[in-house]
Amino acid sequence: MTETSQTTPQPSLRTELRIARDALGAFRQDLFTDAFAFRPAPPLPDGHALLRVLPQRVRPQVRWLPQAAVIAFTLFLMLVAVAVDDGPEGGISALLTGAPLIFMLFRPLGGWWLSFAASAFTGVALPDDFPSPWTATGFVSHIAVMVFVASRSRPRVAAEMWLLTVLLGLFYTLSNSWRPPSVVPMAIVSGLLLLGVLAVRGLRESKQEVAAQVAVTEVERSRRTVLEERTTIARELHDVVAHHMSVIAIQAEAAPYRVDNPPEELTRSFAVIRENAVIALTELRRVLGVVRAEDYEAPQAPQPTLAVLDSLLANVRDAGLTVDKVITGAVRDLPQGVELSAYRIIQEALSNTLRHAPGAPARVELSYVPVGLGLRILNGPPTGALRPSPGAGHGLLGMRERAAVLGGEVTAEPTSDGGYEVIAFLPVGSDA
């Protein structure tokens, strides 16, 4: 009996074939697909360091400085080519030197292929005493084109251009042994310059990524600070509202016992009031209780109000801040949420004065008006040395969040004398 066997490729061979196929596909994608696509060299961006130090009227022209430098460099090489070789050879050498450099400004990879073709033509058409396959100016031109393309392409493209250039030089060196070889200088010089370009480009991209990451981090930090401040506000308002709802429920339950023989309708009304207060308190705790951390404990003391503002001012005076208080309008009790927010805004503003304006005097102004409460915290210019201030530095965000919860607003800006002022308005109902 005859056995037939069918040979199949070994797994390692299939892997190697797949790797080779992928490499050829990447090579074709890099150097052949859309090789002559129109990709003009962009001008200098608006934020470039060179443009920032120049007057505004000359910036539009200076933005095209890189393109002008390439054109000037091209004309210089072409003049050198004409000066070195008289007659038609000089004109041909100048054309083969300059055309790729101008072409690469609009079609970078196409400019390299044009330079590659010019190098191949030089190796065939020019006399035997020329270094094969580059003239002196062609040598410089081809390296300049590779450097330019490498600065605008992925690192793999630079390696592929360098490899093809070295293979071209080796081909002409081996096939024309009587000519002086130039492939070794080309391989060394172009390789070092391409590595330098890729290193600089990688460093620049790394800096850009770090700057972008820092910007994202700052945005996230600001967002986190806002959320933390809102959580703090929600906790405090939860404590304030929960306290008042508890008082309502207790008073509604005790009210019928304070009157002898209360009417049944009155008793039923108080029962309904208590029932609704308890339901509202339960819902409030269920909804707003989620903002509490697991280790959060409700404060034992009541939340601060403007009644204890003098204690706050005494504390900051002990810390070295000279502060005065000015009150205009008829002082009256305000809703506890308004007084709590006003106290916190004043507290944060005075803390900022201590941190950012050492030695400066401060003044706290409270204006009671029928529709709300106005605040103005003003400090003069600092007279002492500024010290590093830890923390995120988002106190103003917290002030604005507190005012926004009540429908008010906060503005903060420097004053003409070098100081700083915070102005806030917190609206209240007409029956407050």
Side-chain angles (χ1 to χ4, degrees):
M1 182 173 59
T2 304
E3 295 183 358
T4 60
S5 62
Q6 183 179 2
T7 60
T8 58
Q10 297 297 325
S12 60
L13 180 59
R14 291 199 300 268
T15 302
E16 292 170 357
L17 291 175
R18 185 174 65 253
I19 294 175
R21 185 176 63 250
D22 294 342
L24 289 176
F27 181 80
R28 183 174 62 253
Q29 179 70 26
D30 292 339
L31 295 184
F32 291 93
T33 304
D34 295 331
F36 289 84
F38 185 69
R39 294 172 54 203
L44 295 177
D46 293 333
H48 195 273
L50 179 61
L51 297 180
R52 290 198 299 265
V53 300
L54 293 176
Q56 186 70 32
R57 63 179 182 274
V58 301
R59 291 181 182 179
Q61 294 76 25
V62 177
R63 293 185 64 194
W64 299 99
L65 184 61
Q67 289 81 348
V70 171
I71 294 174
F73 179 70
T74 302
L75 294 176
F76 172 75
L77 285 182
M78 294 178 70
L79 290 176
V80 171
V82 172
V84 171
D85 300 309
D86 297 331
E89 292 82 0
I92 295 175
S93 179
L95 180 62
L96 297 178
T97 296
L101 289 169
I102 299 299
F103 197 76
M104 74 177 185
L105 290 176
F106 305 96
R107 305 178 191 272
L109 198 55
W112 179 82
W113 276 116
L114 185 60
S115 179
F116 187 84
S119 301
F121 176 79
T122 302
V124 173
L126 293 181
D128 294 343
D129 58 347
F130 277 87
S132 172
W134 297 283
T135 63
T137 53
F139 185 93
V140 176
S141 174
H142 190 70
I143 292 179
V145 172
M146 283 199 296
V147 168
F148 181 84
V149 176
S151 66
R152 300 189 60 193
S153 306
R154 64 180 67 182
R156 191 174 64 193
V157 174
E160 292 164 349
M161 291 189 303
W162 182 84
L163 179 61
L164 286 181
T165 298
V166 172
L167 290 177
L168 178 66
L170 287 174
F171 172 78
Y172 278 101
T173 299
L174 296 177
S175 62
N176 302 283
S177 58
W178 62 88
R179 292 181 174 179
S182 57
V183 62
V184 175
M186 170 61 75
I188 295 176
V189 175
S190 63
L192 292 176
L193 289 178
L194 290 176
L195 287 176
V197 168
L198 295 179
V200 172
R201 180 181 174 184
L203 179 62
R204 182 174 65 249
E205 292 177 350
S206 298
K207 290 182 178 179
Q208 292 174 351
E209 292 177 359
V210 170
Q213 187 63 36
V214 169
V216 172
T217 303
E218 183 63 25
V219 171
E220 291 298 328
R221 184 189 305 169
S222 300
R223 185 178 303 170
R224 185 173 63 251
T225 301
V226 171
L227 293 177
E228 290 175 354
E229 188 64 32
R230 289 180 179 178
T231 300
T232 302
I233 295 171
R235 288 172 178 170
E236 294 176 349
L237 291 181
H238 171 271
D239 296 335
V240 171
V241 176
H243 168 72
H244 288 294
M245 294 301 295
S246 299
V247 171
I248 292 174
I250 294 173
Q251 292 291 337
E253 183 179 10
Y257 300 100
R258 297 183 179 182
V259 180
D260 293 333
N261 301 319
E264 182 179 353
E265 294 81 0
L266 182 62
T267 303
R268 187 163 53 250
S269 296
F270 278 117
V272 172
I273 293 174
R274 179 186 179 280
E275 181 180 357
N276 282 279
V278 172
I279 292 174
L281 183 60
T282 302
E283 290 296 320
L284 179 67
R285 287 172 175 168
R286 182 178 66 82
V287 175
L288 296 184
V290 299
V291 303
R292 297 187 184 276
E294 295 181 358
D295 57 348
Y296 175 78
E297 296 181 0
Q300 300 298 323
Q303 296 289 353
T305 64
L306 295 177
V308 295
L309 180 60
D310 289 336
S311 299
L312 172 64
L313 300 183
N315 289 335
V316 296
R317 289 190 184 104
D318 293 339
L321 178 65
T322 302
V323 57
D324 298 323
K325 181 179 72 171
V326 178
I327 299 178
T328 57
V331 178
R332 68 186 191 278
D333 291 334
L334 299 175
Q336 190 169 357
V338 174
E339 295 217 357
L340 172 62
S341 295
Y343 181 92
R344 295 301 188 196
I345 291 173
I346 296 172
Q347 183 182 44
E348 180 63 30
L350 294 178
S351 298
N352 288 341
T353 301
L354 285 170
R355 287 194 297 265
H356 305 298
R363 184 171 72 252
V364 177
E365 301 176 0
L366 295 88
S367 300
Y368 288 85
V369 295
V371 294
L373 174 67
L375 301 174
R376 183 171 183 257
I377 303 93
L378 174 69
N379 64 265
T383 59
L386 294 177
R387 292 172 294 181
S389 177
H394 297 290
L396 291 177
L397 289 176
M399 297 183 196
R400 293 190 176 100
E401 288 294 323
R402 288 185 176 277
V405 168
L406 301 172
E409 60 182 6
V410 172
T411 59
E413 58 186 3
T415 59
S416 58
D417 62 349
Y420 205 81
E421 68 175 358
V422 175
I423 300 176
F425 179 75
L426 306 177
V428 298
S430 58
D431 57 346

